[in-house]
Amino acid sequence: MSAPRWMSETYGPGGGGAAEGMLKNLDATELDPLTLLVRESAQNSWDARNGEEEPVHYRIELRTLGPNQAPVWRELLLENAPTTEHLALRASLARPVLRVLTVTDTGTRGLGGPTRADVVTDGDDDFVSFVRKTGSSQDVDGRGGSYGYGKAVFHLISAPHTVLVHTRCRVAGRLQTRLIGWAVHESYSTQTVHGPRTFTGRHYWGRAQHEYIEPLLDDEADEFARRLGLPAFPVGQTGTTVAVVDPVFEERDDAEAMRWIVDAMVWNLWPKMLPEGGDAPMRFSALHDGTEVRVPRPSEVPHLRPFLWAHGQMDRELRHKSLRRPLGRMGIRRFLAPPGPPPQVAVEAGIGERIHHTCLMRPVDLVVRYLEGPPFFEEHGGYAGVFRADAGMDRVFAATEPASHDDWKVDRLQGDERRLARHALRQIADAMREAAAPAAVADQLGDGVSLAGMSQLMAGLMAGAPGEGGAAVFDTTPRAGTPDTVTGPARTAATATGAGDPMPPSGATVRGRRGARIRYLDEPRLDSLDGQAVLVQHFQLLDAGEQTVSGRLSVALGDDTGREDTPPQGAAVPTVLGWRREDGEIVHTQSLTATGGDDTVWSLLVRPAPDTVTEVLVTSDQREGAA
């Protein structure tokens, strides 16, 4: 049997689209081509998933072809290849070092259906939609996109605009493997043995059939894929590999490019990584010349973590009242800004030094964009929101997306659909304006954050270090009639606005069970102790004589039902770390024995439980016989 070969597509009598239209259609996006590659390919992989029970495995690998494989690529892909004037493939294959970037998914159904675009089918047509057709749209609920112009990103990052597609699918109930090459460049006219001809700029590599190319099939496809070193599919499984020939990373070296790809996975696909661990609907991996490039968990990325908190609290329903339509759900969280600048992938997505954005998603849980809102009123704080469109709005928002699926251009719509989409964006904007305004807010701070100097931040901003520190929310809203002296244990409030009892204002005096009085000098503040986050409450013992001072700690419940004094089994609990005198000496005891009445300023040091709202109750008891 003859070797596979290239064939250039000619225009038919009825014309057709020029190949360069595919590449130019992506010019409107400002996304980096590598980011676009991750977004488009992962979206296609998700749309091709086998079912809800089986996870999708998605992998990007960059390989430098060794001395045994590079000659095979040159031998197989040079057969009848277009001239360099019409395709740069020959120049790429002549490079001394040849590289290939592969994007592979399994747990997907592969590219099935007919291999010819002129075959009518009422079933699967993934192959012709991806390989044959240009700008086709698959209007199917539950899909993130289509095999439209976005697939051109594979060609965009290839110096010769050339890819190989290796797929295994089911045809008529049995497994079938397919392998085909595909390149796009500019349309052109040239003299041929049949006279002058015009060409679309699309070129195909495979088994020649009259005037077009069919893919290699089954054993032949597997054999050629093996010779080219393409990843083998697990026995009995379906999936697809797209191999990009001679990838271009602009000014990045290969290591930098792979790092960018991994960051793009996390920032654009993090909803598919939840819950973190074995139950996530998609599994992500990256390899560079056989070495794993680790894909971090979203919760490990400080600047992304606030969006995860908002995602976990999407308790606000957005509706259009007059049209009686649900628009989607939204969560929003305020926080202390994490340290340092965000990664460049986040900057590309529109996130700067400060986070005041809402992540927009359709029901398929793929990031569309990070919508910027008004800056937070305090430079050290921020807010993060997440909006997921209602399933009934999926087609509406899908119709607003450009080829790169990175925006909602609602003015493209008409009638009620336009009213619905614009109303959703207005409500999102209203929520961000509300979040940006001064209010009692909540936060968590990333590991390793220095809290020195944070004590001067506005009351109401909570901070915590997951796994190390904790969290607190302080209600500092003045209330009419708040007494200057409160009888009973002093409550260092750690409750949300409006919940629980009012906390004594700064400078108030409180009285313990046996008459010992404590003066609070300020609200609880953040500080650091031996590198860990702590809550600090400054106070004075007003009554003379020896006293026993204790800190009683609990976790406030988020549903306004009170506090949890007995933690669940295995749960972290807030801890008294000790007591600090104004001279800096620390007494590492659970309770403090001290003499009052001498104006000494003491500080209670508390390590809060991670990711909780902590309440601190301070008591001071006069010792028996003390003056």
Side-chain angles (χ1 to χ4, degrees):
M1 183 176 291
S2 61
R5 52 166 293 183
W6 285 96
M7 183 178 292
S8 300
E9 181 183 69
T10 59
Y11 278 107
E20 60 261 34
M22 291 182 58
L23 302 179
K24 291 180 178 179
N25 197 268
L26 298 177
D27 288 346
T29 181
E30 296 181 357
L31 291 177
D32 186 279
L34 292 181
T35 301
L36 193 59
L37 171 76
V38 169
R39 289 170 57 93
E40 290 297 323
S41 59
Q43 186 164 271
N44 288 343
S45 296
W46 177 251
D47 290 345
R49 65 193 181 279
N50 278 328
E52 299 298 331
E53 300 301 323
E54 183 179 358
V56 173
H57 292 261
Y58 172 90
R59 181 176 75 249
I60 295 184
E61 180 177 4
L62 176 63
R63 290 190 300 127
T64 302
L65 300 181
N68 293 328
Q69 284 188 332
V72 176
W73 281 75
R74 297 185 180 103
E75 174 192 352
L76 294 180
L77 296 186
L78 281 175
E79 179 67 26
N80 202 43
T83 63
T84 302
E85 178 185 3
H86 303 306
L87 189 68
L89 178 60
R90 291 178 180 272
S92 288
L93 293 176
R95 296 183 188 277
V97 177
L98 185 59
R99 294 146 51 252
V100 176
L101 184 75
T102 57
V103 181
T104 300
D105 61 51
T106 56
T108 57
R109 61 179 177 268
L111 299 176
T115 60
R116 293 175 51 130
D118 58 351
V119 174
V120 178
T121 177
D122 56 1
D124 181 8
D125 65 346
D126 286 336
F127 185 89
V128 296
S129 293
F130 187 75
V131 177
R132 303 292 193 189
K133 296 181 180 179
T134 301
S136 64
S137 177
Q138 295 184 337
D139 189 15
V140 180
D141 286 333
R143 289 195 170 191
S146 66
Y147 296 127
Y149 289 103
K151 63 190 177 185
V153 68
F154 292 104
H155 301 87
L156 189 66
I157 67 168
S158 167
H161 304 321
T162 301
V163 302
L164 296 184
V165 180
H166 180 218
T167 187
R168 181 180 290 162
C169 55
R170 289 193 175 274
V171 177
R174 71 173 187 86
L175 291 175
Q176 183 179 83
T177 307
R178 299 169 172 179
L179 177 65
I180 194 169
W182 177 29
V184 298
H185 198 44
E186 296 179 351
S187 58
Y188 62 96
S189 300
T190 189
Q191 185 70 32
T192 73
V193 294
H194 303 290
R197 302 289 293 272
T198 58
F199 294 83
T200 66
R202 280 181 287 272
H203 313 270
Y204 291 96
W205 175 91
R207 184 63 57 201
Q209 297 285 338
H210 304 296
E211 294 295 322
Y212 73 102
I213 291 290
E214 282 280 9
L216 310 183
L217 298 178
D218 297 327
D219 291 343
E220 185 183 28
D222 284 331
E223 172 60 20
F224 275 90
R226 183 194 63 77
R227 292 177 60 187
L228 292 166
L230 299 179
F233 296 110
V235 175
Q237 291 194 22
T238 53
T240 299
T241 292
V242 180
V244 177
V245 179
D246 192 12
V248 177
F249 300 144
E250 297 178 347
E251 297 180 356
R252 305 184 186 99
D253 62 27
D254 287 355
E256 292 170 338
M258 291 305 298
R259 186 71 258 162
W260 184 283
I261 285 172
V262 165
D263 286 345
M265 287 183 187
V266 178
W267 276 90
N268 291 278
L269 307 173
W270 62 266
K272 291 301 181 191
M273 301 179 182
L274 304 178
E276 294 178 338
D279 295 330
M282 288 188 75
R283 317 287 170 79
F284 298 88
S285 59
L287 294 172
H288 181 196
D289 285 335
T291 300
E292 180 184 6
V293 182
R294 183 176 179 272
V295 180
R297 294 186 174 194
S299 63
E300 298 172 347
V301 182
H303 291 81
L304 184 60
R305 194 179 298 138
F307 293 99
L308 272 67
W309 304 330
H311 182 271
Q313 295 183 344
M314 287 193 291
D315 52 5
R316 181 182 308 194
E317 184 182 35
L318 277 57
R319 298 185 61 87
H320 196 295
K321 293 183 179 179
S322 62
L323 293 178
R324 299 180 181 180
R325 288 280 298 274
L327 305 173
R329 303 195 70 85
M330 184 175 183
I332 197 161
R333 286 287 299 271
R334 290 174 279 201
F335 55 91
L336 283 175
Q344 284 301 304
V345 167
V347 174
E348 176 199 33
I351 293 176
E353 294 293 329
R354 300 173 62 188
I355 300 174
H356 43 93
H357 298 73
T358 292
C359 177
L360 304 180
M361 299 186 298
R362 284 168 46 206
V364 289
D365 280 344
L366 295 167
V367 174
V368 174
R369 64 169 297 193
Y370 292 90
L371 180 66
E372 184 176 8
F376 194 65
F377 79 99
E378 212 285 334
E379 66 176 344
H380 295 285
Y383 61 87
V386 172
F387 171 77
R388 181 198 289 128
D390 184 80
M393 290 288 294
D394 188 36
R395 289 176 181 264
V396 175
F397 282 114
T400 71
E401 294 180 2
S404 50
H405 306 292
D406 61 345
D407 200 1
W408 284 343
K409 299 182 181 296
V410 298
D411 288 339
R412 293 180 172 184
L413 302 173
Q414 300 292 329
D416 285 350
E417 289 188 345
R418 183 174 180 176
R419 292 175 60 193
L420 290 167
R422 294 184 71 175
H423 192 69
L425 293 181
R426 279 197 298 268
Q427 290 194 51
I428 293 169
D430 290 343
M432 289 195 288
R433 279 194 294 270
E434 178 185 345
V441 297
D443 173 54
Q444 295 175 331
L445 208 63
D447 292 345
V449 176
S450 172
L451 297 176
M454 287 292 186
S455 62
Q456 298 305 316
L457 293 181
M458 64 284 191
L461 212 54
M462 111 174 161
E468 294 185 12
V473 181
F474 310 123
D475 184 355
T476 59
T477 306
R479 293 176 172 82
T482 301
D484 289 338
T485 302
V486 182
T487 303
R491 287 196 61 190
T492 300
T495 56
T497 302
D501 301 328
M503 65 174 287
S506 177
T509 301
V510 296
R511 185 178 300 279
R513 290 173 298 187
R514 296 179 182 171
R517 294 174 300 155
I518 300 173
R519 172 175 292 152
Y520 283 82
L521 304 179
D522 52 19
E523 289 83 23
R525 300 189 177 197
L526 288 169
D527 206 336
S528 61
L529 179 66
D530 297 330
Q532 63 179 317
V534 294
L535 295 176
V536 180
Q537 175 63 64
H538 301 104
F539 64 91
Q540 289 177 318
L541 303 175
L542 297 185
D543 294 323
E546 195 173 69
Q547 302 169 37
T548 300
V549 185
S550 302
R552 293 166 52 195
L553 313 179
S554 58
V555 174
L557 301 178
D559 55 5
D560 295 345
T561 59
R563 64 177 182 267
E564 186 70 61
D565 296 300
T566 303
Q569 184 176 2
V573 296
T575 305
V576 172
L577 297 177
W579 311 81
R580 183 166 57 197
R581 294 173 57 100
E582 59 187 359
D583 61 7
E585 180 183 353
I586 298 177
V587 180
H588 293 284
T589 58
Q590 289 296 301
S591 59
L592 171 70
T593 299
T595 301
D598 59 0
D599 294 330
T600 297
V601 176
W602 289 93
S603 302
L604 169 61
L605 308 178
V606 175
R607 180 178 63 208
D611 303 327
T612 65
V613 177
T614 299
E615 286 189 344
V616 181
L617 285 78
V618 180
T619 63
S620 180
D621 297 337
Q622 196 81 38
R623 306 220 15 187
E624 295 293 342

